[in-house]
Amino acid sequence: MTRYQLTDPQPAVPERLRARLEAKLAERGINPAATLPDTPEPIPALEAAQQRIPVDYREALVEHPDVAAWVRKVAEGAVAPNAGGLNPQYGTLGRRRIAHGPSLLLWGNLGTGKTRQAYAAIRALTASGCGVAWHATTAADLFGDTRPQAGVDLEHQIRRIVRVPLLLLDDLGAAKTSAWTEEILFRLVNWRCQNRLPTIFTTNLPPVRELADSPRQPILRDLVGDRVLSRLSGMCTPVVRFTGPDRRFQR
């Protein structure tokens, strides 16, 4: 019987495969021992939101501590997808959704960063892991979009904006007022106040006139009325004031 003696045994199969793999990587200039860059994983909700956010605010980050606290509170109040349905036990393992929470009023001079922080808050919420349907508009655009138009269901248009889970209403008090605009604004604020839907308001006007203010100083109360201001006071916690020079001129 012939006996064979292996003087130079072949390496185990896994080692041979590893050697072949390393050789192929070397041919392509890839070093498997190199440290991988710390690249964050993409967040689909944030990527989708980026397409709807104005270009100037797509890199906005929450900087004001009160705005950051508001974002955390709204995110913590997110609920399971079916929590408000007739069968709350269904779908409880899905992604939590923004449902109810406080609103936010940002006011201050022109160009002090109110709108930037508002969009930064939206970006932070979409990146928090919670599902959130949101809509952003200015007060002027709100009134323009809800004016009677041929072939448009005005009531459906109003309800769609009023009932969105998260709303940004920018430049409150900047549009011309009338009995019709006052009605639209009251319906929006009243519904969202009663149903505790998170809303971000920005305005250039102080909510009320302080003793040291000039009698000629325009205030939000004069433009939106006591009924709307009362509801804003109850639903917006906190009210954040922005001060400083106009950043747009500084550019």
Side-chain angles (χ1 to χ4, degrees):
M1 183 175 63
T2 305
R3 294 184 178 182
Y4 296 94
Q5 183 176 2
L6 297 177
T7 58
D8 187 16
Q10 294 293 317
V13 173
E15 295 180 2
R16 290 160 55 188
L17 291 177
R18 179 171 58 82
R20 290 175 58 187
L21 178 60
E22 291 179 352
K24 290 293 184 182
L25 292 175
E27 291 177 3
R28 300 185 181 185
I30 302 174
N31 180 10
T35 303
L36 294 177
D38 186 13
T39 304
E41 295 184 2
I43 303 173
L46 181 57
E47 291 181 346
Q50 290 291 83
Q51 303 303 316
R52 299 171 52 198
I53 292 176
V55 175
D56 279 353
Y57 307 123
R58 288 182 181 175
E59 302 299 326
L61 298 175
V62 174
E63 299 171 346
H64 198 289
D66 289 340
V67 177
W70 178 83
V71 170
R72 287 194 299 270
K73 191 168 185 178
V74 172
E76 289 170 357
V79 298
N82 209 44
L86 297 178
N87 299 291
Q89 69 275 16
Y90 296 154
T92 56
L93 298 181
R95 185 171 61 163
R96 296 181 307 130
R97 291 189 167 274
I98 300 298
H100 305 287
S103 294
L104 184 65
L105 175 61
L106 311 177
W107 73 277
N109 297 332
L110 286 167
T112 51
K114 302 181 298 297
T115 302
R116 187 173 189 83
Q117 282 299 281
Y119 277 108
I122 291 177
R123 294 184 73 244
L125 283 173
T126 56
S128 66
C130 302
V132 52
W134 61 276
H135 179 71
T137 186
T138 65
D141 288 333
L142 168 69
F143 300 142
D145 292 340
T146 52
R147 290 187 184 281
Q149 304 176 45
V152 176
D153 186 342
L154 178 60
E155 191 62 26
H156 173 76
Q157 182 80 344
I158 295 174
R159 290 185 179 183
R160 182 183 65 84
I161 298 174
V162 167
R163 301 185 182 189
V164 69
L166 175 64
L167 176 67
L168 164 58
L169 185 58
D170 201 14
D171 277 337
L172 182 62
K176 292 183 178 180
T177 60
S178 66
W180 177 78
T181 60
E182 289 177 1
E183 177 187 348
I184 296 297
L185 182 61
F186 175 76
R187 288 182 59 183
L188 181 147
V189 174
N190 185 60
W191 174 273
R192 301 189 70 82
C193 178
Q194 290 181 343
N195 291 278
R196 298 186 64 245
L197 296 180
T199 312
I200 307 173
F201 300 94
T202 75
T203 180
N204 297 329
L205 303 175
V208 295
R209 185 175 290 108
E210 302 291 343
L211 293 177
D213 293 339
S214 168
R216 297 182 180 181
Q217 165 69 48
I219 58 173
L220 189 62
R221 181 179 187 175
D222 293 341
L223 295 176
V224 302
D226 287 339
R227 294 189 304 167
V228 169
L229 187 66
S230 174
R231 287 161 175 80
L232 289 177
S233 300
M235 64 193 290
C236 294
T237 52
V239 175
V240 184
R241 182 178 183 180
F242 286 73
T243 59
D246 191 330
R247 299 182 181 183
R248 299 185 183 94
F249 283 117
Q250 290 183 331
R251 291 182 183 178

